């Protein structure tokens, strides 16, 4: 979030704590969880992070990360202008949509209020509220 103001130190600490709780719950469920938003390329499975931005831009977020081989296949399909009908795109869509719904359900069962983040730039982003 370039140019965004940061939330208060208290609010950031609360978000960090909530992100840690979410990460622990997902780890208990068997997911590989990563919390470094600056290194998503090395992450597998689930990325959990606390965004320190002020207001509705900030919060705790969860995102399913597809594997590097599917990412590569998707990129190759896009370069061939075969994005929509390609098997890679269909597989990506299937996995991402299901994992999005599954993560929301699992987090809900663990006592968190997890909802679609309603982010046009990242349509499968999940926001977790306390």
């Amino acid at each position: 979030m370039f140019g965004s103001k940061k939330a208060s130190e208290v609010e950031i600490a609360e978000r960090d704590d909530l992100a840690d709780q979410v990460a622990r719950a997902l780890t208990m469920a068997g997911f590989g969880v990563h919390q470094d938003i600056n290194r998503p390329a090395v992450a597998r499975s689930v990325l959990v992070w606390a965004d320190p931005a002020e207001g509705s831009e900030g919060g705790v977020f969860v995102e399913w990360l597809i594997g590097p081989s599917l990412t590569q296949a998707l990129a190759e399909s896009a370069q061939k202008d075969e994005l929509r009908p390609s098997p890679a795109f269909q597989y990506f869509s299937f996995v991402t949509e299901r994992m999005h719904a599954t993560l929301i359900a699992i987090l809900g069962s663990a006592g968190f209020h997890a909802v679609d983040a309603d982010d046009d730039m990242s349509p499968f982003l999940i926001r977790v509220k306390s």
Side-chain angles (χ1 to χ4, degrees):
M1 310 270 164
F2 301 108
S4 294
K5 290 184 180 181
K6 283 190 174 184
S8 70
E9 292 300 320
V10 170
E11 190 171 353
I12 291 172
E14 289 172 355
R15 290 178 190 173
D16 287 341
D17 183 53
L18 179 58
D20 289 342
Q21 291 174 41
V22 167
R24 281 193 301 277
L26 290 172
T27 299
M28 286 175 62
F31 290 98
V33 177
H34 304 275
Q35 291 185 264
D36 188 350
I37 188 67
N38 297 315
R39 297 187 50 172
V42 299
R44 300 283 186 279
S45 195
V46 182
L47 180 62
V48 176
W49 75 96
D51 187 324
E54 182 179 58
S56 64
E57 290 181 12
V60 174
F61 297 95
V62 175
E63 186 172 21
W64 176 256
L65 302 173
I66 60 173
S69 59
L70 182 53
T71 301
Q72 180 63 33
L74 198 59
E76 289 170 5
S77 289
Q79 289 174 348
K80 295 177 186 174
D81 201 22
E82 300 173 352
L83 195 57
R84 291 247 178 241
S86 77
F89 182 77
Q90 291 173 355
Y91 187 45
F92 164 80
S93 296
F94 181 89
V95 170
T96 305
E97 288 171 11
R98 270 82 189 161
M99 291 309 299
H100 178 77
T102 299
L103 286 167
I104 288 173
I106 288 171
L107 289 168
S109 73
F112 298 100
H113 180 68
V115 296
D116 183 273
D118 197 25
D119 184 331
D120 292 338
M121 297 302 291
S122 189
F124 298 108
L125 189 62
I126 299 167
R127 179 186 294 274
V128 180
K129 301 175 183 178
S130 53

